[in-house]
Amino acid sequence: MAGATQFVDANGLKFGYLAEGCGPLVLLLHGFPDTAHSWDDLRPRIAAKGYRAVSPFLRGYQPSAVPDRDPDQETLTRDVLALIEALDARDAVVIGHDWGASAAYGAATLRPDRVTKLFVIGIPHPAAVRPSLKKLWGVRHFAAYKLPGAPKRFARNDFAALPAIYRRWSPTWHPDPSEFDAVRATFANPASLNAAFGYYRRLSPIPSASLKARITVPTIVFAGLDDPIVAPSDYRGAARMFENEYIVEEVQGGHFMHREHPEAFAERLLAHL
């Protein structure tokens, strides 16, 4: 199992991370509302296959340092590339979920020589998603989280909004309350909570440069069959953004499919690793 949190400097910031195993680097990037512990089931499974599995806490997520400004897409992209270098690797397999998926897409676009294989969970390529009323309603938090006071509202009543988000994005999942402990611990630091909302404050409806070019890295995307916002067809429709192998894996679960059905999910992912 992973030991104590380790730290590394990358892209001008100190990142905390959890690591297991030895071998080629596999970088696992979490999303919102999540932490590096999102990968506590998958990380040791990857390590057992002969890899060095590393899950960092994204910038601003305690114990990683809180930046002095909200991050844009290019910053998140360069965080991934800088972490690969800071972890003494020439390249890495990159696995990303939610915001981590967005960063992973950008890294594979900007420096395909640094990403040997790309795994993306829960987010079709942003430049290929066709908007609809259903999708816009499903991502209404994009606007709500930009509003002043959003972090404080999220923290009310011991983060009652936290399990509500999981219910909305993964409606067939009924997690044990302990599933939220790691997130509550991170967001107990108001500066860290505010930093997490900073991702949304800088979010633009116009794809950044790192999300406009086609990806040449072999890619496997995971589509949740119970996801109420995006369907497997959205992932298949994004194939035009990829010039190499592009595989859509349809698995049980919603947006947090890797945590809803961890064993089945890991089996499907490891088959491609």
Side-chain angles (χ1 to χ4, degrees), residues 18-245:
L18 305 174
E20 295 178 60
C22 299
L25 178 63
V26 177
L27 200 60
L28 302 108
L29 309 169
H30 69 82
F32 175 93
D34 244 326
T35 73
H37 291 289
S38 171
W39 308 108
D40 281 356
D41 182 87
L42 184 59
R43 192 177 53 250
R45 295 177 190 269
I46 292 174
K49 295 294 183 180
Y51 292 90
R52 181 188 181 197
V54 174
S55 55
F57 294 82
L58 297 191
R59 68 168 44 228
Y61 283 74
Q62 185 178 266
S64 290
V66 174
D68 58 5
R69 65 187 67 183
D70 294 340
D72 57 13
Q73 170 66 29
E74 301 308 308
T75 299
L76 299 177
T77 291
R78 295 189 182 279
D79 282 350
V80 179
L81 300 171
L83 280 165
I84 293 172
E85 183 176 358
L87 291 165
D88 298 321
R90 190 189 72 81
D91 51 34
V93 172
V94 178
I95 302 173
H97 172 247
D98 192 77
W99 277 106
S102 182
Y105 279 132
T109 302
L110 193 63
R111 289 297 302 271
D113 58 313
R114 290 298 182 94
V115 181
T116 56
K117 184 170 281 191
L118 177 64
F119 291 85
V120 175
I121 304 160
I123 300 289
H125 195 289
V129 175
R130 295 182 177 180
S132 68
L133 289 177
K134 178 182 177 181
K135 287 187 179 66
L136 291 173
W137 178 247
V139 298
R140 58 192 181 275
H141 63 288
F142 284 5
Y145 289 176
K146 288 177 176 289
L147 298 175
K152 289 184 178 180
R153 286 190 291 275
F154 191 85
R156 286 175 182 165
N157 300 319
D158 191 28
F159 296 98
L162 186 58
I165 282 290
Y166 283 79
R167 284 194 301 271
R168 178 148 66 89
W169 296 346
S170 286
T172 61
W173 189 29
H174 304 286
D176 186 275
S178 63
E179 283 281 345
F180 311 122
D181 289 351
V183 184
R184 281 195 171 95
T186 287
F187 288 168
N189 177 352
S192 182
L193 175 63
N194 185 63
F197 275 75
Y199 289 54
Y200 292 96
R201 288 192 292 267
R202 283 299 302 271
L203 181 63
S204 170
I206 302 173
S208 66
S210 67
L211 293 177
K212 289 181 178 178
R214 288 182 172 85
I215 291 176
T216 60
V217 173
T219 301
I220 298 91
V221 295
F222 286 83
L225 293 169
D226 306 306
D227 192 320
I229 302 173
V230 290
S233 58
D234 292 305
Y235 295 86
R236 291 193 293 270
R240 62 183 177 83
M241 295 303 301
F242 300 84
E243 295 183 351
N244 205 315
E245 180 181 53

